[in-house]
């Protein structure tokens, strides 16, 4: 009964920046429950598989895919049940729909609407 609402996407030129936000909504999923879970950002381009972009643990340890390392930063605000993805030095190959999710629940197959990121060359 958790809702995942992504926002912040848009059209940007190569080299530009965007900051994505993910709100984990629903009173049933408490701040405490949110805070103990590893959160992740994923992306999917048309006709391609969804791939993990970045993750952040309860103690704010982070991990990044090689293709975004040094360019993207994931963070979280537990009190607001928010996860952010700061994207800098964007490349056309970053174009995709970006999704957030609770990493341990990805196998459930439930995703939000995502937010479209388009990077022009």
């Amino acid at each position: 009964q958790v809702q995942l609402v992504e926002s912040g996407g848009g059209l940007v030129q190569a080299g530009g920046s965007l900051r994505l936000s993910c709100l984990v909504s629903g009173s049933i999923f408490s701040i405490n429950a949110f805070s103990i879970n590893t959160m992740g950002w994923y992306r999917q381009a048309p006709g391609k598989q969804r791939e993990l972009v970045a993750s952040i643990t309860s103690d704010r340890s982070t991990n990044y895919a090689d293709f975004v390392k040094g360019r993207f930063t994931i963070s979280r605000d537990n009190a607001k049940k928010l996860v952010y993805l700061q994207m800098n030095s964007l490349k056309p190959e970053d174009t995709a729909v970006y999704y957030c999710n609770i990493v341990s629940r990805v196998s459930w197959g439930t995703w939000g609407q995502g937010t479209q990121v388009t990077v022009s060359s």
Side-chain angles (χ1 to χ4, degrees):
Q1 297 180 10
V2 175
Q3 289 182 269
L4 303 163
V5 183
E6 301 92 346
S7 62
L11 175 63
V12 65
Q13 294 182 7
S17 298
L18 286 171
R19 190 193 193 205
L20 308 183
S21 297
C22 169
L23 174 64
V24 182
S25 64
S27 61
I28 294 176
F29 198 72
S30 67
I31 291 174
N32 181 65
F34 173 83
S35 68
I36 65 174
N37 275 281
T38 297
M39 301 299 299
W41 279 98
Y42 304 76
R43 71 186 187 187
Q44 186 172 29
K48 297 184 179 180
Q49 292 185 329
R50 202 190 315 266
E51 59 187 355
L52 178 66
V53 175
S55 63
I56 182 166
T57 68
S58 61
D59 66 354
R60 291 181 169 81
S61 177
T62 58
N63 193 32
Y64 299 93
D66 288 342
F67 51 81
V68 304
K69 198 168 297 181
R71 300 189 296 123
F72 292 8
T73 303
I74 187 171
S75 61
R76 65 193 298 162
D77 184 337
N78 289 342
K80 298 179 179 179
K81 295 194 290 183
L82 285 168
V83 187
Y84 302 101
L85 186 68
Q86 178 67 47
M87 305 186 296
N88 299 324
S89 302
L90 283 162
K91 305 174 181 179
E93 52 262 44
D94 294 320
T95 296
V97 178
Y98 284 71
Y99 303 88
C100 66
N101 215 331
I102 304 164
V103 171
S104 66
R105 299 186 181 187
V106 167
S107 62
W108 294 14
T110 300
W111 300 87
Q113 292 294 308
T115 185
Q116 176 71 50
V117 172
T118 303
V119 184
S120 63
S121 59

